[in-house]
Structures are given as C-alpha cells and as structure tokens.
Amino acid sequence: MKKILLYFVAVAGSCMLNTGCDDFLDKSNYTVVEEDWALHTEEGVNALLNGLYNYVSSAHYYGRHIYAYEMAKGPDIFLIASGGGRFEAEQRYTEGSQSGGRNTYLWQTCYQVIRNATILLEAMENNDIKGDEINLKRIKGEALALRGMAYFDLLRCFSRPPIYSCTFGANYSENYKWGVPLVKTVEMGTNSHKNDIRRATADDSYAYVEENFLEAEALLAQTTTNFTNGHINHAAVCALLMRMYLYMARWDDVITWGEAAERSMKTFGNAMLPYASWYSSYYQPFNVESIFELGYSRSDNLGSDALSSTMHKQIHMLAPDDPMDGTVKLNTGYAAYGIQPAAQKLLKEHPQDVRAYLICDLGVKGYLSCRRYVGVEYPNVHNVPIIRVPEIYLSLAEAWIEKGQTATASNYYDLVRKARTNEAIGFQKSAKEDVLKELLLERRREMMCCGHTYWDFFRRATTFTREGTERAASKTNINFASGTAQWIYPIPYNEMNNNKAIRDQQNPGYAEYVEIEEE
C-alpha cells in the first residue's frame, strides 16, 4: 500500500512546527499515514479527528494557553514575577511586534487544528468512504465545529472585537476591520507560495466561523445517541454558536442558540451541580455541569504544563471547615497565578457562596490562588472544561436583559445563583444598566479562570483596573482601555517574515514590519 506524507505547509505563510524553520517552503512531515486507510476509511478519518483533539488539548491551546492568557490579561489574577507562568508579557501588556509574548504558539496550534480539519473534511467530501452513516456525520460535524472554534479563538486573540471590527458593530472603524487568514482548502495551504494569503475582513472571518458552526450543528443534531466524553456534541456546538453571537451582540441569535443548547444539554443529562455537593464535585471529571471538556489521563496529560501546576502548589482538598483545606500539601508546581484581593472579595460577597472555596494557598508566602483546576488522583492530571451549563444560563440572561426582558433574565440568573448560594432572589436593582452590572459580576464569579472574564470586558469594550502587586510581574496598576494596542496580540513576526502578503496588515498600535537581515 502506498504511503504518503500528509502536510499542510506554511499555513498563511508560517511554519507550523513548534521548532523553528528558516525556509518559507520548509515542508516537514506532520503525519505519516497510509493514504488508502487514512483518507478512504471510517477508521482513518476517525483517527484524523482524534489527532485534531490532541492539538486542541495541547498546552498551546485549550490545555493551558487560552485560560492562562485570559487570566494574565484580566482583572482577577496576577502573575508572580519569574514564576514560570510564561505569560508575563501578557500580564504587563508589553507585547510588541517582534516580541509578542506567546502569540506564535497559539497562532501555530490553531492553524494546526485548521489544517488537520481541512484535510479530514476534504477526504470525506472527495472520497466515497464506507461505514456507519451516523458515525461519519458525527466525525464530519466535530471536525467542522473544531475548525470553527479554532478560527473563533484566533479572532478573539488577534482581531479587535466585532463592536469595532465588523461593519455592523456600534463603533466600527476601518482601522480595525481585519480578521484572520482563511485557509479554506488543502491546496491553498500546501501551495501557499503560489497564493497571496492575506487577512480576511472580520466580517468575512465571522461569517466563515458561523458557516462552520451551522453545518456542524445540522450534522450533530442527527448524532445525539453517538457521543463520547471529551468530544463536541450537539449541545456543545449550539453553545459555541451562542458564544459567537454573544461576541457579535446579536441578542436574538444568542437566545435562539442558547435555548437550543439548553434543550440539547438536557438530553445528555447536563444540569447545575447541587449546592450541597458543589465543593466536592466541581473538579470531578465529566460532572453533570460539563457539556464539553477535554479529558486527560495518568498516561496522557500535560504534566508540569497543566493549569494546576501553572497556578498553584499541590493543595489539600478537604471539607471547607477543615483547617487544612486549601493549604499546601506538596511543594510542586510553578505556583505562578495569585488571586487579586478584589477577586477574593467578589467570591466572598455572599456569605453562603460556595465559590469562596476556590480560594486556596498559592504556595508563596502571603498570597492566595484559585483552585479551579485540581487533580483527583494525581495533582497535574485534571480535565479542562470548555463549555459548562452556567455559561448557557448566564449568556441567555445577558441577552434577555439586552432585549429589555428583565423578568426572563432573572429566571436564568437565579438558576446559577440558587446553585451557588442556595438562594434565588433575582436582581437587586431594576434599571437595565444596574441589572446588567449584576449579571456581568455573576459571570465574573462563576467563570473566573475559565476563559471568559477578560473577554467579557473585551467584547463589550468596557474598562477595568487591575491593582499592582509587589510580587507580581505587573507591579503597577493596569488601567485597561479599548484603545490599548495590547488589547489583542500582534500578528506573529515569524508569520510576517514568511508571508509577504500579510506584512501591511499588522494590528494597529504595533510597529510595522521591518525585515531583519541575517548576518
């Protein structure tokens, strides 16, 4: 049987390996497979799908980067200086055109997801693959959803939010119109030297994300009985659509897809965790609140790159009233992420709020951390949820507030409040501005360290202040404002170095491309 190399070379002009590459046309073998098996059989395309999830779960994407970046940029977490957290430039807002923090890693990994998804989808489109029809629809639907998610996350990190970048945005500006390169075919990616691959507009970029998600939803709606933990299902892709529309401020669509996600998740048995058992259940793998989460095992995990190791030392997980609970158990891990005093106060605002349990010992004298991620049997072996039930309810509440339906919003808001405080008393104010403030604070409490808080300020173009901390990488106050260049990453220098077509499309506020001559 003939063997081939499957590669998607220099996506958007950049080398896609984590190691360096010097040649624009450096064609490294990414996956060595048997063509007849990988591209023409159900088992082969399923193997390619599993490879997609490996990239999604890597430390350079959802295994760490998305959450570490959001925490570093946001108001609730500070990074210990030289703590091994690797996101100090992001914390200080000091990224530059040639030193963009860890932007290259995320860019490369997202395009690796896009590359493999495109190879898989074209194989299914061009070849008569025999097999179980429902399973083939599931494989195709998941690949589409993962490709759409990778593009969406690139937009969150490398493009201004739709309020500025899309023509329908309330504050649209021509200066901010760029989205990301859309590499839609294997031919386009493998022959990038023949194609000028430029950044598409944000309008076109979001339209392509939407196209991928909608096609994925139609397929996964037919596969609800064929689901594996750790994979995207129908409820998850509905939630991804809801999340995308939330960023676009398309409130009717948020409601449509949020309600679709709500209906679908119930078929998978998803619900809010009971108040009484939350503290012992929230970190358990694949608990009932988790709609889509990445699974790790003792033999397949991120080790010292896991979020638990990045954030704090190994800690005691005991009953809340045990004096040893939340204290350091073993002196392991980087312990690089401390929780700001203002965030601690927010979690303790309600005397019965179980989320105060998240506050734990950082392992650095005088500072505390957040134990959102902890291993059950082994410290660094823990799953990473991407979509949870409370996101559905709080996003629906936000959309209903924007539609002027505070009573309906309150019902969704209370579903979360009841599960976390054992009380459901609705909003304490009546004016829309005040109700929205309450809702966004609840999102901040509920989704702290889960990849949302910073981007909630980002998508709404609102401001925050993060106080400086003596031991932090950022010792002075950060006054976040939408005009800051470092609101988003610069396009990686290596990308521009290898792709001449994109050199005039750097994000505003970053220096223009300057070629560095090698000695």
Side-chain angles (χ1 to χ4, degrees):
M1 188 177 293
K2 180 184 176 183
K3 291 187 176 182
I4 64 167
L5 302 181
L6 286 185
Y7 48 73
F8 199 69
V9 179
V11 175
S14 70
C15 177
M16 301 310 297
L17 293 179
N18 289 336
T19 54
C21 64
D22 299 319
D23 195 323
F24 177 71
L25 296 178
D26 180 13
K27 295 188 177 184
S28 303
N29 59 309
Y30 299 102
T31 311
V32 180
V33 298
E34 295 179 344
E35 179 182 11
D36 287 347
W37 179 78
L39 301 181
H40 297 81
T41 68
E42 179 181 349
E43 294 81 5
V45 291
N46 193 62
L48 290 177
L49 178 66
N50 289 334
L52 273 177
Y53 281 102
N54 284 337
Y55 283 125
V56 173
S57 61
S58 78
H60 298 311
Y61 195 13
Y62 269 99
R64 182 185 63 194
H65 193 122
I66 286 291
Y67 297 110
Y69 173 86
E70 184 275 325
M71 285 186 274
K73 301 296 280 189
D76 295 331
I77 300 296
F78 68 89
L79 270 66
I80 296 291
S82 302
R86 304 188 182 103
F87 289 85
E88 292 183 16
E90 288 86 341
Q91 168 92 161
R92 295 191 300 264
Y93 284 72
T94 56
E95 302 98 316
S97 296
Q98 295 182 24
S99 56
R102 298 185 68 80
N103 62 340
T104 300
Y105 294 102
L106 181 66
W107 182 273
Q108 289 177 347
T109 306
C110 284
Y111 276 109
Q112 285 172 324
V113 172
I114 291 162
R115 175 203 71 205
N116 278 20
T118 305
I119 290 171
L120 186 160
L121 290 165
E122 285 198 10
M124 297 189 76
E125 185 71 25
N126 297 332
N127 301 320
D128 184 20
I129 298 175
K130 304 297 183 183
D132 180 78
E133 182 180 356
I134 295 298
N135 197 45
L136 289 171
K137 287 181 178 179
R138 175 193 65 81
I139 293 169
K140 185 176 181 180
E142 289 183 36
L144 284 161
L146 291 174
R147 185 168 69 177
M149 187 174 77
Y151 274 121
F152 176 72
D153 288 324
L154 285 168
L155 285 164
R156 288 204 289 178
C157 293
F158 292 95
S159 177
R160 295 275 171 158
I163 193 172
Y164 288 111
S165 63
C166 292
T167 53
F168 57 78
N171 299 325
Y172 171 72
S173 170
E174 184 81 7
N175 291 334
Y176 303 138
K177 70 178 182 180
W178 296 119
V180 295
L182 301 178
V183 187
K184 296 184 179 183
T185 66
V186 174
E187 187 282 330
M188 185 178 182
T190 56
N191 294 292
S192 56
H193 57 293
K194 296 180 180 179
N195 299 301
D196 285 338
I197 305 179
R198 291 176 57 77
R199 293 176 71 178
T201 64
D203 281 335
D204 289 344
S205 298
Y206 276 100
Y208 190 56
V209 173
E210 182 180 40
E211 177 185 325
N212 278 262
F213 283 161
L214 288 174
E215 188 176 353
E217 186 276 329
L219 290 165
L220 294 177
Q222 304 173 57
T223 69
T224 54
T225 59
N226 190 357
F227 168 64
T228 302
N229 276 337
H231 285 234
I232 283 179
N233 60 17
H234 180 254
V237 76
C238 290
L240 287 170
L241 276 160
M242 176 203 68
R243 186 184 288 183
M244 177 194 68
Y245 290 128
L246 192 77
Y247 279 66
M248 299 168 78
R250 287 171 52 173
W251 307 116
D252 288 335
D253 290 317
V254 172
I255 292 167
T256 295
W257 289 105
E259 290 178 345
E262 183 183 15
R263 291 190 298 270
S264 187
M265 74 186 189
K266 290 177 180 178
T267 69
F268 294 101
N270 297 120
M272 295 294 294
L273 285 165
Y275 174 78
S277 61
W278 179 88
Y279 78 89
S280 61
S281 303
Y282 79 90
Y283 60 93
Q284 298 290 338
F286 303 114
N287 65 61
V288 294
E289 276 190 5
S290 183
I291 296 172
F292 171 38
E293 80 177 45
L294 301 172
Y296 298 86
S297 67
R298 183 180 180 183
S299 60
D300 183 16
N301 62 80
L302 297 178
S304 61
D305 285 338
L307 282 163
S308 54
S309 179
T310 298
M311 293 176 69
H312 50 71
K313 301 292 185 181
Q314 185 183 348
I315 56 177
H316 289 284
M317 296 294 291
L318 304 170
D321 57 354
D322 191 307
M324 294 297 293
D325 175 59
T327 62
V328 173
K329 183 178 181 180
L330 288 176
N331 188 28
T332 59
Y334 292 113
Y337 282 59
I339 185 169
Q340 291 278 18
Q344 297 176 41
K345 182 179 179 181
L346 188 64
L347 292 175
K348 295 179 178 179
E349 191 171 71
H350 191 289
Q352 296 175 201
D353 198 325
V354 292
R355 291 167 298 197
Y357 179 78
L358 291 172
I359 302 169
C360 70
D361 197 341
L362 175 63
V364 177
K365 187 176 180 180
Y367 296 96
L368 299 174
S369 187
C370 178
R371 54 173 146 180
R372 176 66 74 177
Y373 306 98
V374 290
V376 177
E377 296 183 57
Y378 304 95
N380 297 340
V381 182
H382 58 79
N383 287 1
V384 177
I386 295 178
I387 299 169
R388 297 184 300 119
V389 171
E391 180 186 353
I392 308 300
Y393 292 148
L394 294 175
S395 295
L396 280 167
E398 183 176 348
W400 282 114
I401 290 170
E402 292 288 357
K403 295 285 291 180
Q405 300 293 322
T406 303
T408 304
S410 181
N411 292 333
Y412 284 111
Y413 173 78
D414 272 348
L415 288 172
V416 178
R417 294 291 290 174
K418 175 68 174 178
R420 301 297 186 250
T421 67
N422 210 27
E423 290 185 355
I425 56 176
F427 297 114
Q428 300 304 293
K429 302 288 180 67
S430 57
K432 177 182 175 181
E433 182 179 343
D434 293 329
V435 170
L436 185 60
K437 181 179 179 180
E438 285 188 57
L439 184 280
L440 292 172
L441 284 174
E442 187 62 22
R443 282 181 64 93
R444 190 169 162 187
R445 274 186 290 264
E446 178 55 37
M447 299 194 283
M448 192 176 292
C449 303
C450 293
H452 292 277
T453 299
Y454 170 72
W455 280 304
D456 280 348
F457 287 97
F458 169 89
R459 64 184 171 82
R460 300 189 72 95
T462 51
T463 63
F464 65 78
T465 297
R466 184 181 68 224
E467 295 181 0
T469 304
E470 181 60 31
R471 288 292 304 275
S474 177
K475 294 179 172 56
T476 59
N477 289 359
I478 289 290
N479 296 305
F480 171 85
S482 59
T484 305
Q486 288 76 14
W487 205 20
I488 53 177
Y489 271 140
I491 303 302
Y493 179 80
N494 285 347
E495 172 69 16
M496 291 197 160
N497 200 40
N498 291 321
N499 181 10
K500 295 179 180 180
I502 205 174
R503 290 180 182 177
D504 63 342
Q505 293 182 309
Q506 182 58 278
N507 286 322
Y510 288 105
E512 295 182 2
Y513 172 82
V514 176
E515 188 170 4
I516 298 177
E517 295 184 4
E518 296 183 3
E519 296 181 359

